[in-house]
Amino acid sequence: DAGVIQSPRHEVTEMGQEVTLRCKPISGHNSLFWYRQTMMRGLELLIYFNNNVPIDDSGMPEDRFSAKMPNASFSTLKIQPSEPRDSAVYFCASTPTPLGSEQFFGPGTRLTVL
Amino acid sequence: AQTVTQSQPEMSVQEAETVTLSCTYDTSESDYYLFWYKQPPSRQMILVIRQEAYKQQNATENRFSVNFQKAAKSFSLKISDSQLGDAAMYFCAYYSGNTGKLIFGQGTTLQVKP
């Protein structure tokens, strides 16, 4: 099993540009989570999906952030327009049961907004 | 709301010695799990150990063990026979069986001295 796959691994963009982060969960996993990690705020849950349906997006910081899961094997997190304060490492994680407890993390995407 | 507190931003241990990382949490739920994750410089999040709240027996995984004190809401991680490869940031995490969310502490950076 390849594990959770995220792309790109690194992204550098300029303020105002649209950024799209991608995630492929482990095959067979029902739930998918997006996290953001910064020095100041640590690891924060942004949104999570169960069976492709968004369950809780209360962690999404503002309307500039949106996430989709069009099918069981793919999810995107989009930031439009991006701002320097969005610079962080974004993790995707998946879990095999609807409210499964053990989450498997991807390698993360390091986003830098100049 | 649930909170997780790691009061030790940094810890160091001599190779082959034992070290204990502290974690406390606050919750009114009865259905939850607790985890320790390791994040080495590669930034990959790696599950170290998990504990179901309903189990009284402390979880162990090779050199890693926990001291779970449910009444005190304490969940410390003990690393025995520390190795250079144990150097990383360690995160304590609380999983809510009600919301499906994983809440992380701020992390403890562990240095292992040769």
Side-chain angles (χ1 to χ4, degrees):
Chain A
D1 196 330
V4 176
I5 299 172
Q6 290 188 248
S7 64
R9 293 294 305 276
H10 304 273
E11 177 79 24
V12 180
T13 190
E14 293 187 346
M15 182 174 63
Q17 297 297 307
E18 177 180 296
V19 174
T20 300
L21 311 182
R22 297 172 177 79
C23 175
K24 177 179 170 54
I26 294 173
S27 178
H29 282 196
N30 301 85
S31 298
L32 182 140
F33 303 78
W34 282 101
Y35 293 90
R36 178 172 67 176
Q37 185 178 28
T38 61
M39 288 292 291
M40 290 297 294
R41 300 175 67 88
L43 271 158
E44 304 172 280
L45 176 66
L46 300 177
I47 185 171
Y48 82 92
F49 296 84
N50 183 35
N51 291 326
N52 313 336
V53 176
I55 302 301
D56 189 329
D57 65 354
S58 59
M60 296 287 263
E62 47 197 277
D63 293 344
R64 297 185 297 106
F65 286 70
S66 62
K68 294 181 180 180
M69 192 165 185
N71 57 61
S73 58
F74 184 66
S75 177
T76 59
L77 178 66
K78 185 178 294 186
I79 309 173
Q80 166 64 21
S82 59
E83 296 182 4
R85 59 192 169 118
D86 302 330
S87 298
V89 179
Y90 291 82
F91 286 99
C92 176
S94 69
T95 190
T97 58
L99 289 179
S101 53
E102 181 171 345
Q103 296 184 12
F104 296 81
F105 282 76
T109 295
R110 179 176 293 280
L111 173 65
T112 302
V113 183
L114 303 174
Chain B
Q2 295 79 32
T3 58
V4 179
T5 302
Q6 294 178 250
S7 59
Q8 306 153 317
E10 296 180 352
M11 293 282 285
S12 66
V13 62
Q14 206 70 34
E15 193 176 8
E17 297 294 310
T18 296
V19 65
T20 298
L21 309 184
S22 300
C23 173
T24 58
Y25 60 96
D26 188 26
T27 186
S28 58
E29 297 178 338
S30 59
D31 178 20
Y32 60 90
Y33 297 75
L34 297 163
F35 299 86
W36 280 96
Y37 277 88
K38 171 185 177 182
Q39 187 178 39
S42 67
R43 78 170 180 249
Q44 178 71 51
M45 294 289 286
I46 302 165
L47 178 66
V48 175
I49 198 165
R50 61 178 276 182
Q51 175 80 43
E52 292 89 342
Y54 61 86
K55 288 187 178 179
Q56 292 186 335
Q57 186 174 7
N58 289 324
T60 62
E61 286 288 341
N62 301 313
R63 298 182 296 107
F64 299 87
S65 62
V66 299
N67 183 6
F68 175 44
Q69 299 292 325
K70 191 171 183 178
K73 295 179 182 174
S74 170
F75 183 62
S76 60
L77 175 69
K78 184 171 82 172
I79 306 174
S80 304
D81 185 26
S82 297
Q83 301 176 359
L84 295 178
D86 294 335
M89 180 166 279
Y90 287 81
F91 290 94
C92 178
Y94 170 99
Y95 172 81
S96 167
N98 292 332
T99 66
K101 292 182 178 181
L102 193 60
I103 301 164
F104 288 88
Q106 288 298 99
T108 297
T109 299
L110 177 65
Q111 180 186 26
V112 181
K113 299 177 181 178

